[in-house]
Amino acid sequence: MKNILILEDDKDMQGMYKIFFSDQEKKYTIEIENDATVALKRLKEKPFDLIILDIIMEPMFGDSFFLYLRSDEGTMRIPVLVVSVLSPDTLGRLKKIDNVDAVNKPVRLSFLQKPITKQQLLKEIDKMLS
Amino acid sequence: MKHRKTKIPHKYPKKNISQQHKEKQNLQNLELRQYRTMFDSMADTIHLVDTDLRIIMVNKAFKKWGKQLGLDTNVTGRKLLDVCPFLSRKVLDEYKTVFRTGKIVVTEERNKFGDSEIFTETRKIPVFEENKAVRIITIIQNITKRKKAEEALQKSEERFRQVVENAQEWIWEVDANGLYTYASPIGEKILGYKPEEIVKKKYFYDLFQSEGRERLKKEAFEVFAKKKSFREFINQNIHKNGEPVWLSTSGVPLLDEKGNLLGYRGADTNITERKKIEEMKDNLIRDISHGLKSPIAMTEMAFSIFQEGLQNGNIEQIQQAERIASSNLRKIRKDVNNMLEIFTLDMRRMIEKKKHKISLKPVINEIIKNMRYLIEEKGLKLIVDISQGGNKVLIGKRDIKTLIYDIMDNAIKFTEHGSISIKIRPKGKMVRIDVKDTGCGIEEEHKDKVFDKFYKRHAAIEGSGLGLSICKEIVQMYKGEIKINSKGTGKGTTVTVLLPKG
């Protein structure tokens, strides 16, 4: 059983995740947060195996959250799947942050551009956690 | 005039003429005959007087002129003042001066004869005998035409000056080196420099923004070298206060008679605002197309889970997909509408001057019907108080719908708990519409900004940031008022609109 933290502030998209994971109860437990500051707190309280991250959010943008994540020893190795309407190209800045400590590490940062399908999402998560 | 009345005999004294004197007079007569031939051939009025201002001779033009004025044309031997009693003291003094100094006196006169005004230029030319001025030839030229033309020119120059000074365009002249030789006063408004700070002090390229100055300067002098006129040369300048100013410059070369370049004359239009608006529109298009990405992606995703729901017979999933699709389609529609609205508002301002007496009640009821699910979705309470009278307003049909829809939509967007209320009351010659919410409110310092185009408190707030700016444009178009009130963050907002009663 893997724990996934989803950071997404759009209610519709939250609903979408619930549907995507509705038949994955045996594999994944999901927790959805819409506030990055709350999510950072949750990460201290409970270990997560993967974070699904949206970028355009209020009040903290996903990339600031990512920076916090990677600068904290406790969370810097958690794989992050960025699911955003922004293209991976425009999010290259995140890769730069990630590359700082990329030696000997498995894939920890991936991108999916919305719209996504359930299959795409589950396949990518599988790949990242394997 | 007393001294004028001293008695001077009417005829030349003949009793004591010596032989010598006679010969002299013969010579004089010959001279006079020569004068006459010459004088008669001239169009100007001419007369010849002696030191006593007695007329020795007049030409044909003088006689003709005298006739026209109703003067006695038999004038030879008579005194000038007798023939022309209208001559002023000043004129007589002028004759004295010519005799005394021997110098030509040129004067201009403005004479009124009945309704017509005649301008003349008079030359009093001394004729010498033994180094002494003894006679004066007076040539009177009618310069009325020239004068009228000069006056007209002066008037048109005055008009030109007024046009130049009141023009929105900055008129200038530069010499062949690009040094300003004229700058109209409007330049101060556009660039912050008074004409005297520019003329003979600045070259046109001195005002260019430093970045790209050399390139622009080179381009300009290439045009100079070809002596060509140019149109709408776009250049960025720096205002005296340091702000960038975009100018569109047009000019024509000034050439001398040999075709050498003297300089350029032209006009600059300030297009900074236009540039700003272009930039804003670019940003808007980028923002909106960006903003559209998300709801489009959501709609696509909703369709995929809808299909999956159909396959699995999962009613709940189908319903959720439907809900997500419809709410995102609404976001798309709103953004696209807003974009259209802003791009067509200028055009409609011209076209849609047609006002109607619109009953607010049915309009509001229809809007509420369409928005009810949005309000219910958020669990908000809707309070409608529109039954009180005075509810017809003078406005365009489409505009009133846009106006109320946008205000309501804004209220719903920023309210998470509590209620939205809409109220109508007559207020003098106006109708007052209040839309009140219990939402996030607005800080005092942001109150004025909410009506600005593209205003958003945060970049991530959905929508184009156009809603209230459109409302303001509409309200102004129909001579109404719109204002926003809030007791501060978290304390709700009231938008009040006043529209002329129908």
Side-chain angles (χ1 to χ4, degrees):
Chain A
M1 177 69 76
K2 302 281 186 186
N3 287 326
I4 300 177
L5 176 69
I6 300 172
L7 190 46
E8 169 64 65
D9 68 347
D10 184 291
K11 277 192 188 126
D12 292 340
M13 195 60 208
Q14 290 176 0
M16 206 71 80
Y17 281 122
K18 279 177 194 157
I19 291 169
F20 288 160
F21 287 101
S22 60
D23 56 359
Q24 303 292 314
E25 283 155 342
K26 284 175 189 155
K27 266 179 104 176
Y28 305 119
T29 313
I30 61 163
E31 185 172 327
I32 302 176
E33 291 296 343
N34 56 13
D35 186 333
T37 48
V38 177
L40 284 170
K41 218 165 87 194
R42 285 296 292 149
L43 282 162
K44 289 208 162 73
E45 293 162 3
K46 183 182 166 185
F48 284 93
D49 302 291
L50 180 86
I51 297 166
I52 293 176
L53 178 64
D54 183 23
I55 295 298
I56 305 173
M57 290 184 297
E58 268 305 310
M60 191 197 280
F61 259 52
D63 35 9
S64 317
F65 172 82
F66 186 72
L67 194 61
Y68 277 108
L69 208 64
R70 286 300 185 246
S71 57
D72 188 312
E73 182 62 32
T75 57
M76 68 190 297
R77 289 180 189 85
I78 304 175
V80 172
L81 173 59
V82 175
V83 179
S84 169
V85 74
L86 302 173
S87 75
D89 288 343
T90 57
L91 292 170
R93 53 184 189 257
L94 295 186
K95 279 186 203 155
K96 278 183 196 157
I97 299 168
D98 204 46
N99 278 343
V100 175
D101 187 32
V103 196
N104 305 327
K105 296 290 183 300
V107 178
R108 295 177 308 166
L109 178 65
S110 269
F111 297 90
L112 281 178
Q113 187 175 7
K114 290 178 193 170
I116 54 165
T117 61
K118 181 178 169 182
Q119 288 72 27
Q120 274 176 317
L121 179 72
L122 294 178
K123 199 177 144 198
E124 193 62 34
I125 293 172
D126 241 13
K127 209 168 91 189
M128 290 178 79
L129 292 178
S130 64
Chain B
M1 292 294 276
K2 266 176 194 161
H3 66 288
R4 282 285 134 206
K5 289 190 174 171
T6 47
K7 281 179 185 167
I8 295 165
H10 273 270
K11 297 247 159 75
Y12 281 106
K14 283 177 185 171
K15 296 171 210 166
N16 49 359
I17 301 170
S18 65
Q19 190 58 32
Q20 200 189 9
H21 198 93
K22 231 175 194 171
E23 273 174 16
K24 199 176 165 188
Q25 209 165 27
N26 281 343
L27 199 71
Q28 209 176 326
N29 284 342
L30 181 70
E31 201 181 274
L32 287 180
R33 274 203 300 278
Q34 283 169 344
Y35 274 147
R36 180 178 297 284
T37 322
M38 187 174 77
F39 288 175
D40 280 350
S41 71
M42 288 169 74
D44 297 334
T45 308
I46 301 173
H47 60 72
L48 183 68
V49 293
D50 64 12
T51 45
D52 291 329
L53 300 187
R54 201 176 290 278
I55 296 172
I56 303 169
M57 190 178 75
V58 295
N59 73 345
K60 277 185 182 164
F62 184 95
K63 283 181 183 163
K64 195 177 154 198
W65 174 71
K67 229 178 229 170
Q68 277 171 359
L69 293 182
L71 301 174
D72 189 352
T73 53
N74 191 14
V75 295
T76 313
R78 292 174 62 192
K79 291 206 69 174
L80 186 60
L81 196 66
D82 293 339
V83 178
C84 307
F86 48 81
L87 289 181
S88 66
R89 168 77 177 276
K90 192 177 146 267
V91 175
L92 300 171
D93 285 346
E94 283 160 13
Y95 278 101
K96 274 192 200 165
T97 310
V98 176
F99 279 124
R100 198 180 66 239
T101 61
K103 284 195 177 131
I104 298 176
V105 170
V106 182
T107 52
E108 268 183 26
E109 300 84 26
R110 179 193 193 118
N111 315 290
K112 269 207 158 168
F113 296 106
D115 288 338
S116 62
E117 200 173 38
I118 294 170
F119 292 89
T120 51
E121 186 183 85
T122 305
R123 284 165 195 279
K124 298 182 182 72
I125 306 164
V127 178
F128 294 94
E129 221 166 70
E130 289 155 12
N131 288 329
K132 205 169 166 260
V134 290
R135 288 182 289 279
I136 291 175
I137 300 171
T138 307
I139 304 176
I140 304 161
Q141 195 182 6
N142 187 338
I143 55 162
T144 311
K145 260 190 198 163
R146 193 179 89 198
K147 265 296 195 206
K148 288 266 154 82
E150 269 175 23
E151 256 178 30
L153 186 69
Q154 232 168 38
K155 263 185 201 158
S156 86
E157 270 173 6
E158 173 69 11
R159 265 201 304 276
F160 174 74
R161 196 186 56 77
Q162 279 178 357
V163 168
V164 164
E165 283 176 11
N166 293 313
Q168 287 309 299
E169 288 185 329
W170 180 45
I171 316 286
W172 49 260
E173 278 177 23
V174 295
D175 66 15
N177 296 318
L179 183 66
Y180 282 104
T181 54
Y182 173 77
S184 70
I186 192 84
E188 192 185 351
K189 253 190 214 162
I190 297 177
L191 288 163
Y193 295 100
K194 289 191 170 71
E196 58 268 29
E197 292 176 280
I198 285 183
V199 172
K200 305 259 185 232
K201 287 187 183 139
K202 290 217 181 291
Y203 291 86
F204 69 85
Y205 48 81
D206 289 338
L207 303 173
F208 285 168
Q209 192 202 26
S210 57
E211 188 190 329
R213 177 185 293 156
E214 288 309 311
R215 186 179 52 79
L216 284 177
K217 188 178 159 185
K218 201 174 145 238
E219 275 177 38
F221 279 113
E222 275 166 17
V223 173
F224 273 42
K226 288 178 191 153
K227 301 172 194 171
K228 273 192 175 165
S229 58
F230 58 91
R231 281 191 67 76
E232 288 164 16
F233 176 73
I234 308 292
N235 51 96
Q236 196 180 8
N237 295 262
I238 298 293
H239 191 278
K240 199 177 175 186
N241 67 14
E243 292 283 317
V245 179
W246 283 95
L247 296 176
S248 168
T249 307
S250 300
V252 289
L254 300 172
L255 304 172
D256 67 12
E257 61 273 19
K258 285 177 190 155
N260 297 316
L261 184 72
L262 298 173
Y264 269 85
R265 173 186 293 152
D268 277 26
T269 313
N270 187 353
I271 55 163
T272 313
E273 274 305 299
R274 204 201 301 165
K275 276 268 174 192
K276 266 188 200 158
I277 287 172
E278 273 172 23
E279 208 172 286
M280 280 164 106
K281 279 191 175 172
D282 286 350
N283 286 344
L284 168 71
I285 291 170
R286 208 192 46 225
D287 280 8
I288 289 186
S289 37
H290 208 79
L292 284 175
K293 271 188 186 166
S294 178
I296 289 172
M298 291 307 294
T299 311
E300 284 179 68
M301 283 156 75
F303 269 106
S304 77
I305 64 163
F306 181 82
Q307 277 168 336
E308 198 193 75
L310 277 181
Q311 279 161 12
N312 306 341
N314 186 341
I315 302 284
E316 205 181 311
Q317 191 167 326
I318 292 170
Q319 282 171 339
Q320 195 168 359
E322 215 183 325
R323 196 190 51 75
I324 291 173
S326 77
S327 89
N328 281 284
L329 281 172
R330 185 182 53 82
K331 286 180 195 165
I332 294 169
R333 196 182 59 194
K334 209 181 79 193
D335 268 4
V336 171
N337 277 349
N338 273 345
M339 187 154 54
L340 284 176
E341 202 73 34
I342 208 77
F343 282 115
T344 57
L345 206 60
D346 290 338
M347 212 170 16
R348 284 200 293 121
R349 210 195 325 251
M350 285 181 263
I351 300 164
E352 209 173 287
K353 277 191 176 144
K354 224 175 168 185
K355 293 178 203 167
H356 298 271
K357 286 186 179 181
I358 307 260
S359 229
L360 280 175
K361 232 166 141 179
V363 172
I364 291 173
N365 279 331
E366 193 198 323
I367 291 170
I368 287 170
K369 210 175 97 194
N370 289 332
M371 297 187 106
R372 187 164 292 253
Y373 78 100
L374 279 177
I375 299 166
E376 284 169 357
E377 193 185 55
K378 281 191 142 180
L380 303 172
K381 205 175 145 200
L382 178 67
I383 303 156
V384 182
D385 177 6
I386 57 172
S387 53
Q388 282 206 24
N391 62 1
K392 270 195 178 175
V393 290
L394 266 181
I395 197 165
K397 276 179 190 165
R398 200 177 125 188
D399 286 331
I400 184 68
K401 282 186 190 170
T402 306
L403 177 67
I404 294 179
Y405 183 90
D406 278 359
I407 296 173
M408 290 286 286
D409 188 65
N410 213 60
I412 296 164
K413 188 156 101 183
F414 294 108
T415 305
E416 296 304 324
H417 314 283
S419 63
I420 309 283
S421 70
I422 179 161
K423 186 170 92 176
I424 309 174
R425 290 282 184 278
K427 189 174 188 270
K429 288 179 177 173
M430 311 289 266
V431 175
R432 178 181 167 142
I433 306 163
D434 287 301
V435 175
K436 189 176 170 188
D437 65 53
T438 56
C440 65
I442 182 144
E443 302 85 345
E444 185 66 35
E445 65 264 33
H446 288 207
K447 260 192 207 167
D448 296 330
K449 287 194 203 144
V450 297
F451 294 112
D452 290 351
K453 277 178 195 167
F454 318 118
Y455 170 79
K456 284 189 200 182
R457 235 166 310 177
H458 312 291
I461 286 174
E462 83 180 36
S464 55
L466 283 173
L468 285 180
S469 79
I470 292 170
C471 293
K472 193 182 178 186
E473 294 240 11
I474 291 173
V475 169
Q476 282 175 341
M477 195 153 52
Y478 296 99
K479 304 204 163 34
E481 280 175 50
I482 184 164
K483 55 189 176 197
I484 190 159
N485 271 306
S486 173
K487 292 205 170 101
T489 316
K491 288 178 181 164
T493 307
T494 305
V495 175
T496 303
V497 173
L498 290 169
L499 288 170
K501 229 180 225 178

